[in-house]
Amino acid sequence: MAEHATQRIIAVMNQTHDVGKTTITANLGVILAEMGYRVLMLDLDPQADLSRQFGVPETQSGMDRLLKNDVSISEVTLSLTNHLSLIASGPDLFLYDQLTPSINMGVQLKQLLTSTMPADADIILIDCAALSGLLGTNAVLAATDMLIPVSAGHGALRGMIKMLPVLQRVSKLGPDSLRLWLCLNRLPDGNDFAYQFGTLLTQYFPKRVLKTVIYDNESANPADYQSLANDLLMGRAD
């Protein structure tokens, strides 16, 4: 059984598609639960990829109703295993980013988790949408950790570039602020490209690049995600 410390809320995000956010979220959820942590996953992406990965139908209500204060957390929490639970995205989550924003709406998720979650989960994983907006703002302001999967594809690098101003500001914040982590993901195996790419990122974000590298889907295995989970828990970077 794991030793449970202060609750961690980890937002997995990048401002582009196909960088492996959902795969990382799902695998971390399973691994951390197997380690004995009580894990709650939040599908905060209207595309509902995380929900589908666990066989939850797209019609299942979840974050869409929770953010509208229509339901309690217990009403939409789905138990997957003894230690792993999920709140689906819900069919109307896409409407949230179309609302007229207000100051309170940006911290809605943080207030919700702060007021109702401390006794129910040790670790909360948030699978975020690729585009920023109210949903992204809620995830960042609620999180204790931001995990950015970074791959070498053109689209992934373009998403990374879009996030550079935000990442650079976050990386300079104090020790009590949001912790920023970068994960090298879906990199080609069998050559030194991962090392070179990791070295380049480390120059821009020292102490932020997690040690574990996740290679392409055919090479990835549970041991990789076990190592990544330990990196996150212990802050092993560079």
Side-chain angles (χ1 to χ4, degrees):
M1 176 65 65
E3 293 293 329
H4 303 307
T6 304
Q7 186 184 70
R8 301 280 291 273
I9 303 175
I10 303 169
V12 184
M13 63 193 315
N14 189 318
Q15 286 187 312
T16 190
H17 299 281
D18 299 323
V19 293
K21 296 187 303 295
T22 299
T23 300
I24 284 180
T25 304
N27 280 281
L28 282 178
V30 170
I31 290 293
L32 289 166
E34 290 176 351
M35 293 169 66
Y37 291 92
R38 296 169 299 173
V39 181
L40 173 64
M41 299 180 297
L42 308 182
D43 192 346
L44 207 62
D45 187 345
Q47 293 194 51
D49 290 337
L50 183 65
S51 302
R52 281 194 298 272
Q53 189 146 337
F54 286 94
V56 177
E58 296 180 25
T59 55
Q60 173 68 47
S61 296
M63 296 303 302
D64 57 343
R65 295 189 62 192
L66 194 60
L67 290 173
K68 290 169 60 180
N69 296 315
D70 284 347
V71 294
S72 66
I73 285 182
S74 61
E75 290 179 277
V76 290
T77 299
L78 306 173
S79 179
L80 303 176
T81 68
N82 192 34
H83 286 88
L84 182 64
S85 299
L86 167 71
I87 298 180
S89 63
D92 295 327
L93 185 61
F94 73 97
L95 296 173
Y96 192 79
D97 267 337
Q98 298 178 13
L99 299 174
T100 302
S102 66
I103 295 176
N104 290 335
M105 289 181 68
V107 295
Q108 195 167 357
L109 182 60
K110 179 178 181 178
Q111 293 172 342
L112 183 67
L113 298 180
T114 300
S115 62
T116 60
M117 287 308 303
D120 298 329
D122 303 303
I123 298 174
I124 298 173
L125 296 170
I126 308 175
D127 188 26
C128 301
L131 299 177
S132 60
L134 277 175
L135 291 173
T137 299
N138 270 275
V140 170
L141 294 180
T144 61
D145 300 74
M146 182 193 296
L147 175 60
I148 314 294
V150 183
S151 63
H154 179 266
L157 290 176
R158 184 171 57 187
M160 181 72 179
I161 290 171
K162 289 180 181 178
M163 293 190 72
L164 281 176
V166 176
L167 298 181
Q168 288 174 332
R169 286 196 297 270
V170 171
S171 67
K172 295 177 181 178
L173 296 176
D176 296 328
S177 63
L178 177 68
R179 292 181 289 263
L180 170 67
W181 308 107
L182 284 80
C183 168
L184 298 176
N185 190 48
R186 292 184 173 177
L187 296 191
D189 200 358
N191 56 49
D192 63 353
F193 180 79
Y195 173 78
Q196 296 171 350
F197 191 48
T199 299
L200 178 63
L201 281 182
T202 300
Q203 292 176 0
Y204 285 94
F205 305 103
K207 308 300 182 184
R208 304 291 181 177
V209 182
L210 296 176
K211 290 182 177 296
T212 300
V213 175
I214 306 294
Y215 293 97
D216 60 63
N217 290 340
E218 294 182 359
S219 303
N221 61 69
D224 295 329
Y225 295 103
Q226 174 84 56
S227 178
L228 181 62
N230 286 324
D231 284 355
L232 274 171
L233 293 175
M234 295 184 281
R236 296 189 308 202
D238 302 336

